Amino acid sequence: MVQDKMYTGCFDITRNNKNLYAVAWLISPEGERVWQFQERVEGLDRNEASYYALQMLLEEVLVRGITAVKFLGTNSLVMKQASGQWQAKKTRLFNYCVKVRSLLANLRHFRFERLDREQQEEEQEVSFSPVPQVGGGQETEQFVMVSFW
């Protein structure tokens, strides 16, 4: 059996003034950032924006043929709904949840674990530079890391 390589992916939301951004990036097993994503999301709340960032990351993961994923992050609601532990009751979240679950179904292995930024940097011994924010904003709303093996 061939061992799947571990990648690290991160998805996040940031706020700049009144604008909300979905951001994600993918880091190779060698520690190089190989893909990144940032998009202003209008009309979405924090959870919807987190789902959107996760969806964009999963689509990139599948394009690259990655099949085993360990998701580490801070948005418990999105992680528990996406993993099937909780049901998505709001229609808008339900639609995102269905899409993300359909993408997750293409992975061989996955799991979610909740961490905060300090735990993450200690455990991974990785120094993450903040994702550049459009318009010079300084406030980060949440940070989530996703690891692939």
Side-chain angles (χ1 to χ4, degrees):
M1 183 171 145
V2 176
Q3 176 91 16
D4 293 321
K5 291 187 178 183
M6 184 191 299
Y7 283 76
T8 300
C10 303
F11 67 97
D12 194 358
I13 61 170
T14 62
R15 188 175 303 275
N16 176 343
N17 298 320
K18 295 181 182 180
N19 298 314
L20 187 63
Y21 295 86
V23 295
W25 60 98
L26 183 62
I27 301 168
S28 73
E30 296 76 33
E32 295 180 42
R33 189 180 294 196
V34 295
W35 175 82
Q36 63 185 29
F37 168 83
Q38 179 174 334
E39 184 176 317
R40 183 176 164 193
V41 288
E42 295 184 30
L44 301 183
D45 67 22
R46 292 167 45 124
N47 292 323
E48 292 167 332
S50 292
Y51 261 122
Y52 183 67
L54 176 57
Q55 177 183 332
M56 295 297 100
L57 179 57
L58 280 166
E59 288 176 0
E60 183 65 22
V61 164
L62 294 174
V63 164
R64 292 172 180 266
I66 298 166
T67 60
V69 184
K70 180 181 177 182
F71 296 93
L72 306 174
T74 61
N75 191 321
S76 293
L77 177 83
V78 169
M79 291 186 293
K80 287 182 178 185
Q81 287 178 349
S83 67
Q85 293 177 20
W86 289 357
Q87 291 183 351
K89 295 180 181 178
K90 293 182 180 179
T91 302
R92 288 171 59 155
L93 289 184
F94 178 81
N95 292 337
Y96 278 105
C97 186
V98 168
K99 177 64 176 174
V100 165
R101 284 184 184 176
S102 72
L103 295 170
L104 287 169
N106 293 296
L107 300 176
R108 191 173 299 147
H109 307 284
F110 72 90
R111 72 178 186 198
F112 290 87
E113 293 181 19
R114 187 175 189 282
L115 295 176
D116 63 29
R117 179 176 274 208
E118 290 78 23
Q119 286 176 305
Q120 190 170 347
E121 288 178 354
E122 284 175 18
E123 291 184 20
Q124 298 296 320
E125 295 182 4
V126 175
S127 175
F128 291 99
S129 57
V131 174
Q133 296 187 12
V134 176
Q138 298 298 318
E139 183 179 346
T140 300
E141 288 296 317
Q142 72 180 221
F143 179 86
V144 181
M145 178 176 164
V146 184
S147 294
F148 303 84
W149 76 97

